[in-house]
Amino acid sequence: RSGPLRPLGEALDWPAVPGRPRRAGVSAFGLGGTNCHVVLEEAPAAPVTPPSRDPELLLLSSHHPDTLDVDLAALRDHLGENPSRIADAAWTTQTARHRYPHRAYAVVRSPDEVAAAFGGDRLRIQRGHATADAPEVVFVLPGIGSHYPGMGAELARTEPLFARNLQAVVAVADTLTDGAVGRSFATEPARPDRQGDRVDLRALLRRGGSAPAPRELREVHLSLFCMEHAMARTLMDLGIRPAALLGHSLGEWVAAVLAGVVGPKDAMAAVARRADLVGTAGPGAMLSVLAAAEEVERYAVADTWIAAENGPGHCVFSGRPKAVSTLAGRLRAAGFTTLPVDTKHPFHTPQLAGAAALLGEDLRHVDLAPARIPIASSVLGAWLDGEVPEPGYWRDHMVSRVRFRAAAGLVLSRHRVLVEVGPGTARPWIAQADPDAVCVRTVRQSYENAGDRQILLEALGALWAHGVEADWPRLRRAPARRAGLPPRALQRRRYLPDTEPPAGPWPAPATARQAELVAETPAPAPPEEAPGSTVGQFLAHRFRVLLGLRQVHPDDHFFHLGGDSLMGVHLIAGLKELTGRAVPSSVVFASATLGGMTREIQDWLAATEHEPEPLDHGSPVS
């Protein structure tokens, strides 16, 4: 009783001494003299990760889709209450949680936009199911068409990994363009003002605004080459390595470098030479058509040719400007939707035969090696695997049509997950060919308000949702700590003695908080093939056909699923044919979800039933 040790019958306060951590000895005495003594010390105060305004990627997985919904709602509320811990929460979900097959992800752009990141229209497409074996990935490398000045500039400024890969190729490109390529990546393009969505509708439909300053074709070619090569190398550094490559026109040169067929310096010199030779072929024009090549080839006039077969519902004509203009009129009269391509050159036509012959001669002095990664050739419509493409291959590549549809078919016969490595529009073409395939893009379009990092994080999240794991520590620019997160929801089943197991899940009584979360999380609405009205049925059908969807849902978002300018023009033209009225594009895309679009159009038609036809000064280019 008088010694320093005495048993305690109740808990006591243990006041801290400034400047000294609490320490305690814990003793355990066993029978036979087996004793144990452990000294414990209070953990040091954990440093707080500085709040970040950068987008963060959060990953969630569960053993059942219903519990995944509960987990998403719980994480949304947790981040709303603790906005300063978003970066720590993202790090924890990326590196410290067990992976389950049912998966979803969210990209939080800032602490103020937590709720928007977990919105229904986003989470509908930000889900996936991972199998036990990680799928192999295919890199899709786009060609000229969706490029724009300053693409990737934000990523070059903010992402060291991408910046390092970009600088390696820009240093070569600058010697071929007097520094023009480097300057293009140094200036970020202005993003459109945010007005409730992340798409600038006027820019998407090519309305108004000043045209971008003309750029030398050599600069355009090499800028796109550098962008795609740097992005591909960045993905590979993050642990996402391609099992096959699929290039579209210029993109096949990048594929050849990644596959080891040709070195980067030789390839960039050839690309620069190719650009110069294209400029000697005289003026040209190109026309994008929302139809399969076999449907519209018979409408071709003299001096026009099919330049690219992109997908089951998309092809491109090329030729002399007047002939292409005549062809556009014929196609519109036949009911096809067309849109000019932003170029003044006759790519992939016999007009380039002389230029292509010169390029083939130049390449006879370049060392070419067998492809170490299989390439689905859009020249041959066959695999290049362990073969050396002869100089004549690149001559044909320059002058013949791009058989991207056939090459994509080769890829889809082997692989299910594709990554579009560069600014392009391949996602709808892939979905039209196979709605069950996954095509993820990594670079934003010029008309999007979203930032470069946000798009890259969405790509990594989409790949993870389908079972492709990245090297997450390499993605992190600043250190982060593991954070406490809401516990995973469980779906319990109750089994009674001496009875057969239940046919379906019998969830145990939920806690009050779990019940509240389930109530807050809207149950997924059943797929809606045709939302009632004539307008709704029309839009549902066009969503399915254009975006390659097996089923449609009211929350399906036209642009999030790959809709582009040509498809937007097609929707507007189809609505005029259906209703007899020119529905303004601002009404059609006031809400880009299927359900919202249907309501907006129906409301406008009802409100203007007896009004004169409006003048839509922003009519899309035909």
Side-chain angles (χ1 to χ4, degrees), residues 398-478:
M398 184 175 179
V399 74
S400 63
R401 74 172 61 179
V402 180
R403 302 184 186 279
F404 184 84
R405 179 181 177 182
L410 294 173
V411 166
L412 293 171
S413 68
R414 297 184 182 181
H415 305 283
R416 314 307 302 154
V417 179
L418 294 78
V419 185
E420 191 172 39
V421 186
T425 56
R427 287 190 301 161
W429 307 339
I430 298 297
Q432 289 167 9
D434 186 347
D436 295 326
V438 176
C439 189
V440 176
R441 54 78 174 267
T442 57
V443 179
R444 77 178 184 91
Q445 298 288 0
S446 60
Y447 49 76
E448 286 187 279
N449 184 62
D452 290 350
R453 177 176 169 83
Q454 177 183 349
I455 299 299
L456 177 60
L457 292 181
E458 288 177 355
L460 296 175
L463 289 171
W464 176 85
H466 290 89
V468 181
E469 197 81 37
D471 185 353
W472 301 110
R474 298 208 67 182
L475 180 68
R476 176 67 45 184
R477 290 182 293 163

Side-chain angles (χ1 to χ4, degrees), residues 243-255:
L245 301 164
L246 171 60
H248 187 289
S249 189
L250 180 65
E252 198 160 333
W253 278 100
V254 185

Side-chain angles (χ1 to χ4, degrees), residues 22 28 38 103 170 206 217 231 244-245 255 260 265 285 317 328 351 355 361 367 404 414 420 444 450 550 569 618:
R22 299 178 177 91
V38 179
R103 299 185 177 188
V170 166
R206 304 181 186 179
L217 200 57
M231 180 59 75
L245 301 164
K265 290 185 179 180
F317 279 92
Q351 287 180 246
E361 288 298 319
D367 292 331
F404 184 84
R414 297 184 182 181
E420 191 172 39
R444 77 178 184 91
R550 291 198 186 280
V569 170

Side-chain angles (χ1 to χ4, degrees), residues 536-558:
Q537 292 175 355
F538 167 83
L539 292 175
H541 177 262
R542 293 299 168 98
F543 268 54
R544 284 196 303 271
V545 172
L546 296 175
L547 303 175
L549 304 175
R550 291 198 186 280
Q551 294 179 322
V552 291
H553 187 281
D555 284 340
D556 282 338
H557 195 289
F558 184 74

Side-chain angles (χ1 to χ4, degrees), residues 375-609:
I375 300 174
S377 168
S378 58
V379 177
L380 306 175
W383 285 104
L384 292 175
D385 190 357
E387 303 170 36
V388 180
E390 296 296 330
Y393 176 89
W394 299 107
R395 179 193 62 231
D396 295 341
H397 174 272
M398 184 175 179
V399 74
S400 63
R401 74 172 61 179
V402 180
R403 302 184 186 279
F404 184 84
R405 179 181 177 182
L410 294 173
V411 166
L412 293 171
S413 68
R414 297 184 182 181
H415 305 283
R416 314 307 302 154
V417 179
L418 294 78
V419 185
E420 191 172 39
V421 186
T425 56
R427 287 190 301 161
W429 307 339
I430 298 297
Q432 289 167 9
D434 186 347
D436 295 326
V438 176
C439 189
V440 176
R441 54 78 174 267
T442 57
V443 179
R444 77 178 184 91
Q445 298 288 0
S446 60
Y447 49 76
E448 286 187 279
N449 184 62
D452 290 350
R453 177 176 169 83
Q454 177 183 349
I455 299 299
L456 177 60
L457 292 181
E458 288 177 355
L460 296 175
L463 289 171
W464 176 85
H466 290 89
V468 181
E469 197 81 37
D471 185 353
W472 301 110
R474 298 208 67 182
L475 180 68
R476 176 67 45 184
R477 290 182 293 163
R481 294 180 56 83
R482 292 189 180 183
L485 298 177
R488 296 182 189 272
L490 299 176
Q491 186 182 61
R492 297 179 174 86
R493 293 188 179 187
R494 182 183 180 191
Y495 297 91
L496 299 176
D498 302 322
T499 60
E500 291 292 327
W506 288 11
T511 65
R513 180 55 183 151
Q514 286 177 329
E516 180 183 341
L517 290 174
V518 173
E520 292 173 1
T521 306
E528 191 168 334
E529 286 296 319
S533 68
T534 302
V535 170
Q537 292 175 355
F538 167 83
L539 292 175
H541 177 262
R542 293 299 168 98
F543 268 54
R544 284 196 303 271
V545 172
L546 296 175
L547 303 175
L549 304 175
R550 291 198 186 280
Q551 294 179 322
V552 291
H553 187 281
D555 284 340
D556 282 338
H557 195 289
F558 184 74
F559 300 115
H560 295 169
L561 293 172
D564 59 19
S565 55
L566 182 62
M567 296 179 190
V569 170
H570 185 69
L571 274 183
I572 294 170
L575 285 166
K576 183 172 184 179
E577 182 178 349
L578 175 73
T579 65
R581 296 182 60 77
V583 185
S585 58
S586 57
V587 173
V588 177
F589 297 109
S591 171
T593 63
L594 174 59
M597 190 181 292
T598 302
R599 288 191 299 273
E600 293 286 345
I601 294 170
Q602 289 180 158
D603 290 347
W604 182 86
L605 290 172
T608 61
E609 184 176 2

Side-chain angles (χ1 to χ4, degrees), residues 88-179:
D88 289 343
W91 173 252
T92 304
T93 64
Q94 292 166 12
T95 63
R97 284 200 144 189
H98 184 77
R99 304 323 201 194
Y100 291 100
H102 299 281
R103 299 185 177 188
Y105 69 94
V107 175
V108 179
R109 303 202 320 173
S110 71
D112 302 328
E113 299 188 17
V114 170
F118 288 83
D121 65 310
R122 301 298 305 166
L123 293 182
R124 262 193 51 73
I125 62 172
Q126 292 178 176
R127 289 175 180 261
H129 186 274
T131 58
D133 298 323
E136 292 183 322
V137 171
V138 177
F139 282 2
V140 181
L141 300 140
I144 296 291
S146 296
H147 62 284
Y148 53 92
M151 56 186 174
E154 178 192 333
L155 212 59
R157 176 178 58 81
T158 60
E159 300 296 330
L161 197 60
F162 176 80
R164 184 165 61 250
N165 287 315
L166 181 66
Q167 185 55 41
V169 282
V170 166
V172 178
D174 276 350
T175 64
L176 299 168
T177 60
D178 293 328

